[in-house]
Amino acid sequence: MFESSITIKGQTTLPKAVRDSLAVKAGDKVRYVIVDEGVLVIPVRPTGRLFRSLKYDGPPVSVEEMDRAVAEGAIERWKQSTRM
């Protein structure tokens, strides 16, 4: 378990082990997903890195629908990992 303090401006520093685990560095962005059990921190990856990396034969979906699906998948993965 890792922790960090919140500054008077509401800022915090992600501990190095967390940054390493998320594979983020200075200038990268993270997304916070509020769930019943707390908050998930998810790295935001530029969509350009994903271009043509996934096959999808279904109907077109919006960016919002994709973001929702990613967040839901992350929540489900986190819930499964906490059942161990």
Side-chain angles (χ1 to χ4, degrees):
M1 181 181 311
F2 303 96
E3 64 181 55
S4 60
S5 299
I6 306 295
T7 70
I8 196 159
K9 291 184 176 183
Q11 299 171 332
T12 189
T13 299
L14 294 176
K16 183 173 182 342
V18 174
R19 294 190 312 267
D20 291 347
S21 176
L22 295 173
V24 295
K25 60 185 183 330
D28 288 348
K29 295 185 178 194
V30 293
R31 181 169 289 142
Y32 301 92
V33 181
I34 299 171
V35 297
D36 291 338
E37 297 84 359
V39 177
L40 298 176
V41 181
I42 303 169
V44 176
R45 304 288 183 221
T47 55
R49 290 176 50 184
L50 298 175
F51 187 68
R52 296 185 189 221
S53 64
L54 303 173
K55 302 285 186 217
Y56 179 71
D57 294 327
V61 295
S62 68
V63 172
E64 291 79 16
E65 290 170 308
M66 288 186 265
D67 284 344
R68 190 175 322 109
V70 168
E72 289 170 359
I75 291 166
E76 186 58 36
R77 186 174 174 188
W78 177 78
K79 285 181 179 179
Q80 289 175 358
S81 72
T82 60
R83 292 182 190 146
M84 298 177 143

